[in-house]
Amino acid sequence: MSDTQYSIDLDSIRGAFPPGVEVLSLLVDFAGWLEGRPWGSVGRFSLQGQFSDSAPIVDGSPLRDRFSLFMRLPDGSAVGGWYGAGLDRDNPPIVGLGSEGDYALLAPSLDGLLAKLTSRQFDNPWSDLKPNDEVECQTVELAQWLAGRPAAETAAPDDTSAELPDFRGFVEKWSRDREDYWANHRLMAELGWRLAAHLPKGKKPWDRTRFEIAIVGAQYQARVLTHGPQPFEEAASIESLLRDLRDQMRRAQPELGLWYAMNFGLYADGRIMPSFEYDLRPTIDGELALLSEAKADLARAPRPERWVPKWLG
């Protein structure tokens, strides 16, 4: 039997739930049951919270309040609650965001997900939710634990989700809409124009030149990722543009606060597709960004307490 035990981080899970929504009591109890058991005995995963920002979904930052992602699979896929329009915020359906673009409604509830774990129903691309053949299976013990819960209403493993919204359709529409949004964004178009000298030489759709930006208070750094991060001539001239973008995004979704880092690819057609980092403390000129500058940003753009990163709180 493996000596490796399940990785469980309840603090990160609590923080991953939308403001005003508390972690499911069944999830907390399941974490207690799972603690100390061999990794893989009921599935190959860790119980660890994460925001949609870092999940495998296009431009996930604006969706923070639509998910409570509490489970990570070895391939980078994420599993958690989905708070779509009209869905029960106290008992949301459980969805999977697959690292290879597989999006699925896995169970109508957390009860249903745990019941499916006991019956080992999951197939590719969600086979990591099945036990590891190299350790002693404990799905029978999990089923007994579920059955013994007071007033438990464990969902049947074959519960249908036909009455629930189309999650895959939601994600696909979101991805199309966000790609169109950034492709037609005025500031992105101007940024692409100013960086025209860096257009990739290739003409394939996936050819791109990558950039990384850091803005923390008055601090600023821009690098092009060519044989490692490098300064580039236009960096100073695009600072005001990037700060305008940062403030515009804060006004559009104030609860997110201000991002500290931005990464984007410049494609051969001039299109830019960005991603944003709200929690990472970036490095500027070889040193971690000044805490005083980050706190000034937080004072100017407050966030819900659970969305304030520990290094800043």
Side-chain angles (χ1 to χ4, degrees):
M1 182 177 291
S2 171
D3 292 332
T4 303
Q5 299 176 354
Y6 280 98
S7 174
I8 300 171
D9 184 349
L10 276 176
D11 285 342
S12 70
I13 290 173
R14 291 188 177 95
F17 275 70
V21 178
E22 295 308 313
V23 64
L24 300 170
S25 59
L26 176 58
L27 181 56
V28 175
D29 292 345
F30 174 59
W33 179 87
L34 196 65
E35 187 173 5
R37 296 180 186 271
W39 183 85
S41 56
V42 295
R44 293 162 286 185
F45 56 81
S46 62
L47 289 185
Q48 187 171 5
Q50 69 180 103
F51 294 126
S52 55
D53 309 38
S54 57
I57 185 172
V58 173
D59 195 19
S61 300
L63 291 175
R64 273 197 186 192
D65 61 353
R66 305 278 190 94
F67 292 101
S68 55
L69 301 174
F70 55 76
M71 184 182 287
R72 294 187 186 184
L73 307 187
D75 66 354
S77 299
V79 173
W82 175 38
Y83 302 91
L87 297 177
D88 186 352
R89 294 181 72 80
D90 294 325
N91 192 28
I94 306 302
V95 298
L97 296 166
S99 60
E100 299 298 325
D102 299 296
Y103 305 110
L105 198 153
L106 299 176
S109 64
L110 180 58
D111 280 341
L113 179 74
L114 298 184
K116 288 181 73 172
L117 288 178
T118 67
S119 60
R120 292 173 273 178
Q121 281 193 19
F122 296 100
D123 296 316
N124 284 329
W126 302 103
S127 57
D128 278 327
L129 292 171
K130 297 173 71 172
N132 187 343
D133 292 337
E134 297 180 0
V135 299
E136 182 179 347
C137 179
Q138 296 193 15
T139 56
V140 171
E141 289 85 345
L142 176 58
Q144 292 170 343
W145 176 77
L146 288 171
R149 285 180 54 79
E153 295 180 358
T154 305
D158 59 351
D159 267 2
T160 178
S161 57
E163 72 279 5
L164 295 171
D166 176 12
F167 178 66
R168 183 179 182 85
F170 162 78
V171 174
E172 290 177 345
K173 183 179 186 303
W174 170 264
S175 300
R176 290 193 304 269
D177 289 350
R178 294 311 287 179
E179 288 172 353
D180 289 345
Y181 173 81
W182 289 116
N184 295 289
H185 195 286
R186 179 184 62 81
L187 294 179
M188 291 295 98
E190 184 173 349
L191 183 61
W193 175 79
R194 294 193 188 189
L195 296 176
H198 298 274
L199 288 169
K201 304 302 181 185
K203 301 300 180 184
K204 295 182 175 64
W206 54 83
D207 289 331
R208 60 179 177 169
T209 305
R210 295 170 55 223
F211 295 81
E212 60 178 23
I213 308 297
I215 299 178
V216 182
Q219 294 184 286
Y220 166 75
Q221 180 176 270
R223 295 286 186 266
V224 61
L225 302 183
T226 305
H227 306 296
Q230 304 290 335
F232 58 97
E233 183 179 351
E234 301 87 352
S237 67
I238 64 172
E239 179 178 359
S240 61
L241 190 69
L242 294 166
R243 289 187 179 277
D244 286 347
L245 173 67
R246 194 170 181 246
D247 284 333
Q248 183 185 98
M249 292 174 66
R250 175 184 61 85
R251 291 191 295 270
Q253 202 163 0
E255 67 275 11
L256 279 176
L258 292 160
W259 51 262
Y260 294 119
M262 170 188 179
N263 295 276
F264 64 90
L266 172 64
Y267 291 84
D269 59 1
R271 177 173 51 93
I272 286 177
M273 190 64 209
S275 64
F276 303 94
E277 176 57 69
Y278 287 81
D279 297 304
L280 178 70
R281 185 179 180 181
T283 298
I284 298 177
D285 295 328
E287 301 287 344
L288 287 173
L290 294 175
L291 192 58
S292 58
E293 295 294 326
K295 289 186 173 181
D297 276 344
L298 182 62
R300 183 163 72 93
R303 310 183 190 186
E305 183 178 354
R306 68 177 59 176
W307 285 359
V308 177
K310 290 183 178 180
W311 64 267
L312 183 54

